[in-house]
Amino acid sequence: MSDKAKYIFVTGGVVSALGKGIASASIGLLLQRRGLKVRNCKLDPYLNVDPGTMNPFQHGEVFVLDDGSETDLDLGHYERFLDQSLTKDNNVTTGQVYHTIITRERRGDYLGATVQVIPHVTEEIKNRIKKLERNPDPVDVIIAEIGGTVGDIESLPFLEAIRQMGQEEGPENTMFIHVTLVPHIQTAGEFKTKPTQHSVRALREIGIQPNMLLCRCSRPISDALRQKISLFCSVPADAVINAEDVSTIYEVPLRFHAQQTDDLICRRFGWQLPAPELSEWTPMVEKINSPRNHIKIGICGKYVNLKDAYKSIIEAFIHAGVFSDARVSLIWVSSEDLKHSGADKLLHDIDGLLIPGGFGERGVEGKIEAIRYVRENNIPFLGICLGMQCAVIEFARNVCKLADAHSFEFYRDLKHPVIHLMADQEGVTELGGTMRLGAYPCVLTEGSKSHEAYGQTEISERHRHRYELNNAYRDMLLENGLLLSGVSPDKRLVEIVEIPSHSWFVAAQFHPELKSRPTRPHPLFRDFVKAAVQYQKEAKGDARKASAAVDLTDAPG
Ligand code: GLN
């Protein structure tokens, strides 16, 4: 390819949550599968430096990268679709941009100039996008997604920066893709194009003419309607693409490809490339859409009403389901309801239980009770981060008989703090970016379920926590049958615990969900789902009781 990268800018209009991240990742995948080196990035217009200190209700999941940066959940989509590991440079926020500029200003670097949004903020944004061209290695194309919606006050500097890039780099090197909504009005029985027209007009007012429209709609819109949108928005009709709701987000690239979306991009940039190589992707999507098995996994956490808080976990189950040819329905159980209604009432129908990560004491007793239930009933269990800490507390209380075992996170004056503050966290007062974050190595015990899953003894996994298993209780836990199957190379930190006598009971201090990929399911999720399918066949037979719980695994992303 040429030694200069091309830029594709993805903006969104009308409403948020249209799936710009999935659209950007899908285009990235198609170009990558045609042989290009692709780098996706997300530009977030909020003032936080990163989403690490934001409430999941505000922002959804915090996606942690190998380098320890806490980033937007769209980076999870990029990593999963393109099977790449990204770095902190792939997520730019207004907070970071202003932090850099204000630090520079205080140093006196601006030599007396008035520091302004244009040119200083826009220059910094452009530099951060351009830096990705060669960092860490050269790429052919950068796909930059702008968070928020056109018309937001806070997005303006980003839109101005990409407008300038369009001008400076020229049309042969840049492309603007706008993701918009074409709603179907039930009472009128028709699709409406006006919101799209308004959104494109707003974009043009700030000097950006989109080259392609991805029209989010409940079902494909007609050619006549695409013509109409084309006419009003000055976008060629073949570049008005249907982006209809699909049963799985992994189908989006296939739908785009069927409409020659990637051909249009290649033509614009003068690339003559073979068709995308999708020989693994297409059967994977077919498997997601028509699985032979169907299992139910209970998931017990604080944010059960906010599925975005558990995005990577939901995706990791889809990947693991492909491996076991299983549809994994997630039964969302509020840990607080569980405490009141009892574990048996809410969990009797599940084939496995997952306790995800979390912060704060609310709901912890319910999680501990759920773990007791699955441990005693030999139901497969996977614990993640806080889920592992709860598993240790449960084991200490009910097996080791330390009735008041708990975590130092919740109570400072404890008789048995089986989970305590990590040594290097003592004295930490700032909350942003100060947890144990990012990839750390871990050594597995041969013959353990974890070792069997990974097929190797040295692994690397991503962390985000302040507390850990208290080594003072290691011997007692071991003597009572808990295997400490994963430890840090210096053996000072326990990273995985499991119960060898149980059908499948594994809990990890790290977050396996962050490294699961659609065509490479994470080993722990893969074996957990396999164990749940097995449990269903052996322990429960095939008679499945209908559950009133909502199945959200297949809601469009
Ligand atoms: N709150 C726990 C800690 O800080 C667990 C964190 C998590 O689950 N990500 O250690």
Side-chain angles (χ1 to χ4, degrees):
M1 286 297 115
S2 79
D3 49 348
K4 171 108 200 50
K6 311 284 183 190
Y7 297 96
I8 297 176
F9 300 109
V10 181
T11 55
V14 185
V15 290
S16 60
L18 283 181
K20 282 195 306 282
I22 291 160
S24 305
S26 299
I27 289 168
L29 172 84
L30 290 173
L31 298 179
Q32 181 201 53
R33 302 275 84 214
R34 294 183 80 136
L36 294 168
K37 287 211 175 72
V38 182
R39 187 156 294 138
N40 279 78
C41 67
K42 174 88 190 274
L43 310 179
D44 277 312
Y46 49 71
L47 281 168
N48 303 61
V49 169
D50 63 41
T53 52
M54 278 191 237
N55 184 326
F57 278 115
Q58 300 261 324
H59 191 266
E61 169 186 82
V62 174
F63 194 81
V64 180
L65 306 180
D66 281 337
D67 66 9
S69 46
E70 297 173 283
T71 68
D72 184 77
L73 56 77
D74 279 325
L75 272 81
H77 292 308
Y78 307 158
E79 283 205 346
R80 287 186 282 268
F81 275 64
L82 281 88
D83 198 358
Q84 290 174 340
S85 292
L86 301 176
T87 73
K88 64 176 189 344
D89 296 329
N90 297 70
N91 193 187
V92 176
T93 67
T94 301
Q96 290 166 17
V97 169
Y98 275 84
H99 192 269
T100 304
I101 290 173
I102 290 168
T103 309
R104 233 180 252 155
E105 187 272 336
R106 291 290 81 186
R107 262 199 323 250
D109 290 1
Y110 290 106
L111 306 174
T114 307
V115 184
Q116 294 178 301
V117 172
I118 304 172
H120 301 101
V121 171
T122 46
E123 278 305 315
E124 178 61 23
I125 294 170
K126 289 193 288 183
N127 287 341
R128 283 176 182 248
I129 300 173
K130 287 187 201 159
K131 186 176 154 197
L132 289 168
E133 196 179 321
R134 310 208 156 266
N135 176 22
D137 46 19
V139 288
D140 302 308
V141 56
I142 289 164
I143 303 176
E145 175 194 347
I146 323 295
T149 309
V150 170
D152 296 346
I153 292 173
E154 56 182 16
S155 319
L156 281 173
F158 288 98
L159 295 172
E160 171 59 15
I162 63 170
R163 183 198 68 76
Q164 290 177 12
M165 282 186 75
Q167 188 68 25
E168 290 161 359
E169 306 287 326
E172 65 284 11
N173 292 316
T174 50
M175 179 170 186
F176 292 91
I177 299 181
H178 190 55
V179 185
T180 178
L181 179 71
V182 181
H184 185 262
I185 306 298
Q186 208 69 32
T187 45
E190 53 183 8
F191 285 103
K192 289 292 179 191
T193 65
K194 202 68 90 186
T196 293
Q197 294 177 38
H198 282 301
S199 177
V200 171
R201 187 193 296 160
L203 206 50
R204 287 160 73 172
E205 272 167 16
I206 45 180
I208 296 172
Q209 166 63 49
N211 309 113
M212 177 182 276
L213 296 176
L214 302 177
C215 301
R216 294 286 290 110
C217 43
S218 50
R219 51 178 193 275
I221 56 171
S222 66
D223 288 348
L225 226 49
R226 288 175 51 223
Q227 288 286 356
K228 184 176 169 187
I229 293 173
S230 158
L231 187 69
F232 278 102
C233 300
S234 300
V235 173
D238 60 354
V240 178
I241 308 288
N242 268 309
E244 70 274 19
D245 294 346
V246 280
S247 54
T248 164
I249 55 170
Y250 300 110
E251 203 170 324
V252 175
L254 303 181
R255 299 283 180 110
F256 282 179
H257 177 60
Q259 296 173 79
Q260 284 92 43
T261 309
D262 45 316
D263 289 333
L264 281 168
I265 298 171
C266 289
R267 229 181 298 145
R268 179 177 181 89
F269 292 139
W271 287 325
Q272 287 186 339
L273 297 166
E277 208 286 295
L278 296 165
S279 60
E280 246 192 319
W281 198 271
T282 309
M284 181 263 297
V285 172
E286 279 161 14
K287 273 224 163 131
I288 294 175
N289 282 333
S290 50
R292 280 189 313 190
N293 302 304
H294 181 194
I295 55 160
K296 290 179 181 168
I297 300 290
I299 171 163
C300 182
K302 193 153 84 172
Y303 305 107
V304 289
N305 294 319
L306 182 79
K307 305 302 175 277
D308 265 3
Y310 302 112
K311 193 96 212 148
S312 295
I313 288 177
I314 295 173
E315 297 306 319
F317 273 121
I318 294 172
H319 312 159
V322 171
F323 182 86
S324 284
D325 209 355
R327 172 185 165 88
V328 181
S329 291
L330 298 180
I331 311 295
W332 299 87
V333 184
S334 143
S335 31
E336 283 163 326
D337 288 355
L338 201 131
K339 190 69 197 129
H340 297 124
S341 312
D344 191 45
K345 183 153 182 280
L346 295 177
L347 301 178
H348 69 274
D349 199 29
I350 60 166
D351 304 305
L353 175 75
L354 177 115
I355 306 283
F359 297 83
E361 208 225 338
R362 184 156 66 83
V364 160
E365 289 303 325
K367 291 174 192 174
I368 293 171
E369 175 57 9
I371 297 170
R372 181 198 61 75
Y373 181 82
V374 294
R375 182 180 54 74
E376 290 180 356
N377 290 289
N378 211 24
I379 300 170
F381 170 73
L382 176 60
I384 296 177
C385 208
L386 179 64
M388 171 205 165
Q389 297 173 356
C390 288
V392 172
I393 297 169
E394 192 283 323
F395 196 87
R397 283 188 193 173
N398 299 321
V399 181
C400 307
K401 304 293 176 207
L402 303 178
D404 46 4
H406 218 319
S407 167
F408 186 69
E409 178 177 2
F410 314 127
Y411 297 100
R412 298 281 132 150
D413 190 17
L414 282 174
K415 194 156 162 220
H416 293 298
V418 289
I419 303 298
H420 71 166
L421 194 65
M422 303 183 70
D424 55 8
Q425 288 290 326
E426 280 164 24
V428 170
T429 50
E430 283 202 10
L431 293 186
T434 55
M435 279 186 263
R436 181 178 183 228
L437 287 165
Y440 284 90
C442 168
V443 181
L444 304 178
T445 307
E446 293 209 16
S448 63
K449 292 210 172 63
S450 314
H451 181 246
E452 190 185 322
Y454 284 94
Q456 61 197 69
T457 43
E458 273 245 15
I459 59 163
S460 169
E461 291 285 359
R462 297 179 185 175
H463 294 249
R464 184 172 187 249
H465 61 110
R466 290 187 203 281
Y467 299 86
E468 61 165 337
L469 189 146
N470 185 343
N471 286 334
Y473 292 88
R474 269 196 193 192
D475 289 346
M476 176 179 284
L477 295 165
L478 276 168
E479 280 156 23
N480 282 279
L482 194 71
L483 178 65
L484 312 180
S485 57
V487 290
S488 56
D490 64 6
K491 300 192 170 56
R492 283 167 52 196
L493 302 171
V494 175
E495 313 281 36
I496 312 180
V497 299
E498 46 184 274
I499 302 180
S501 58
H502 189 280
S503 68
W504 206 90
F505 190 108
V506 178
Q509 187 57 77
F510 50 79
H511 288 268
E513 73 276 20
L514 301 175
K515 285 183 62 175
S516 186
R517 309 274 162 92
T519 51
R520 283 191 302 125
H522 189 281
L524 293 183
F525 274 87
R526 185 198 64 214
D527 280 16
F528 173 49
V529 166
K530 207 162 82 181
V533 171
Q534 194 71 12
Y535 170 81
Q536 184 193 68
K537 288 201 172 122
E538 283 171 10
K540 292 180 69 184
D542 281 330
R544 312 295 303 148
K545 285 185 206 145
S547 164
V550 200
D551 173 5
L552 276 150
T553 46
D554 51 356

